[in-house]
Amino acid sequence: MHRQRVMARTLGLATAVALAATACGSQKTENTGSASTAPSASAAVTTPESSPSSDDKPAGDPSASPSASASSASPSPSPSASASSSPSASPSVKAVMANGDDSEQVRELQARLKQLKLMSVAPTGFYGSKTTTAVKSFQSRNGLTASGSVDAETWKKIQGLTKKPTADELRPPTVNEVDAPDPRCMTGRVMCISKESRTLAWMIDGKVISTMDVRFGSENTPTREGVFDVGWKAKEWTSTIYHTPMPYAMFFSGGQAVHYSADFAARGYSGASHGCVNVRDKAKLSKLFDDVKVGDKVVVYW
């Protein structure tokens, strides 16, 4: 009987080890309210998908409603309205940019507001509530009417106090602000992964080579923290447990790996992984996959 119990435990351990290597995958059935590994304090990290900012043209955003957008432009007077209006009334000043607009000029506005430390999110090109708040703040500080819309005077003032945005400022490499590297990332070849900023920085001898947004496991399947090494790589891989594709997988802790996630690319932070570090920029990850070698360090930290 004792021998049978020993054999059962041995078989169970072998099975667990075999499954661990392919245990990761996106939680496609998870609803948008699923918990993440981040504590409540970090849940406020601004991203378009988690939508504390409505500057990513979310569906049904009340700040981008037709009424909100229309209120910032000069209305077309009806015959009765024009007849009753006073000849001495001042005409409305048409906004250059306003809530609900979507353009490259809005992207430039957001980049300039970021230079002024009035916006912390990456430019999206969509004028939502975050942009409105930033513009109001700028107008209040500079003795302008705090309408939240950008008229000619406001735009001229913003341009005068900022420089022309660079390509990286207009389209940053990550949506999330990259965190300061953990001290353990400052030597050697490291995938430096911050749970707080939800970013991965590929670093060599303390220099950041590339960065990308990442997503982690839920509280039920958390991504492990600590210092690891890349154990093995697979350009094409499919989880044998969840049957989900894991392209460009770089395994660092049992079945947990850095890999591309089509679910992350489609749904953003409304989903989660089963413990892996998901990347949504396939082109960037493809380049990283080619650069990373087996044995390179992986640091996952808060």
Side-chain angles (χ1 to χ4, degrees):
M1 180 65 70
H2 175 71
R3 182 179 179 183
Q4 289 176 341
R5 284 197 298 269
V6 170
M7 290 178 65
R9 285 198 298 269
T10 302
L11 287 171
L13 178 60
T15 301
V17 170
L19 291 176
T22 58
C24 194
S26 300
Q27 297 191 12
K28 291 183 178 297
T29 58
E30 187 173 10
N31 62 32
T32 57
S34 59
S36 68
T37 55
S40 57
S42 67
V45 175
T46 305
T47 65
E49 293 83 358
S50 56
S51 278
S53 164
S54 53
D55 291 278
D56 197 47
K57 203 190 299 186
D61 179 10
S63 67
S65 64
S67 60
S69 179
S71 65
S72 62
S74 300
S76 301
S78 63
S80 59
S82 59
S84 61
S85 60
S86 169
S88 60
S90 301
S92 298
V93 178
K94 186 175 181 179
V96 176
M97 288 170 277
N99 198 315
D101 288 349
D102 186 4
S103 68
E104 286 303 300
Q105 188 180 26
V106 172
R107 186 183 294 276
E108 180 182 344
L109 166 68
Q110 293 167 333
R112 289 178 182 272
L113 290 170
K114 195 167 184 181
Q115 290 178 18
L116 295 168
K117 308 299 183 185
L118 293 173
M119 288 192 75
S120 59
V121 297
T124 64
F126 179 71
Y127 202 124
S129 61
K130 288 286 184 182
T131 305
T132 300
T133 299
V135 169
K136 280 184 178 180
S137 180
F138 176 84
Q139 290 168 328
S140 296
R141 293 181 186 185
N142 289 276
L144 303 170
T145 301
S147 65
S149 299
V150 179
D151 56 21
E153 185 180 6
T154 299
W155 184 227
K156 184 178 180 180
K157 189 78 172 177
I158 290 174
Q159 288 177 307
L161 294 174
T162 57
K163 60 180 179 64
K164 183 176 177 62
T166 64
D168 281 346
E169 286 178 313
L170 291 170
R171 288 177 170 80
T174 57
V175 172
N176 300 328
E177 200 77 43
V178 179
D179 202 6
D182 185 278
R184 295 169 292 181
C185 299
M186 300 307 293
T187 57
R189 299 163 55 87
V190 193
M191 283 194 283
C192 193
I193 302 169
S194 168
K195 283 189 169 182
E196 184 170 3
S197 66
R198 297 190 283 195
T199 56
L200 181 156
W202 169 234
M203 302 179 64
I204 300 178
D205 295 330
K207 180 181 179 182
V208 176
I209 308 301
S210 64
T211 59
M212 55 202 75
D213 298 319
V214 294
R215 185 179 73 172
F216 305 101
S218 69
E219 66 177 7
N220 297 319
T221 54
T223 303
R224 290 183 279 275
E225 298 153 28
V227 181
F228 312 92
D229 293 328
V230 175
W232 59 289
K233 299 165 53 180
K235 189 172 183 178
E236 298 294 337
W237 192 261
T238 299
S239 169
T240 57
I241 293 180
Y242 303 108
H243 309 293
T244 52
M246 298 167 57
Y248 302 105
M250 293 173 278
F251 289 88
F252 62 87
S253 178
Q256 296 192 351
V258 174
H259 69 85
Y260 171 73
S261 168
D263 182 72
F264 183 23
R267 293 202 298 151
Y269 292 101
S270 61
S273 77
H274 284 95
C276 284
V277 178
N278 290 166
V279 178
R280 60 180 165 190
D281 191 321
K282 196 171 188 178
K284 278 189 177 181
L285 186 61
S286 172
K287 177 66 167 60
L288 179 63
F289 183 87
D290 291 339
D291 291 345
V292 170
K293 301 175 182 178
V294 172
D296 285 346
K297 189 161 60 174
V298 180
V299 177
V300 183
Y301 67 101
W302 276 107

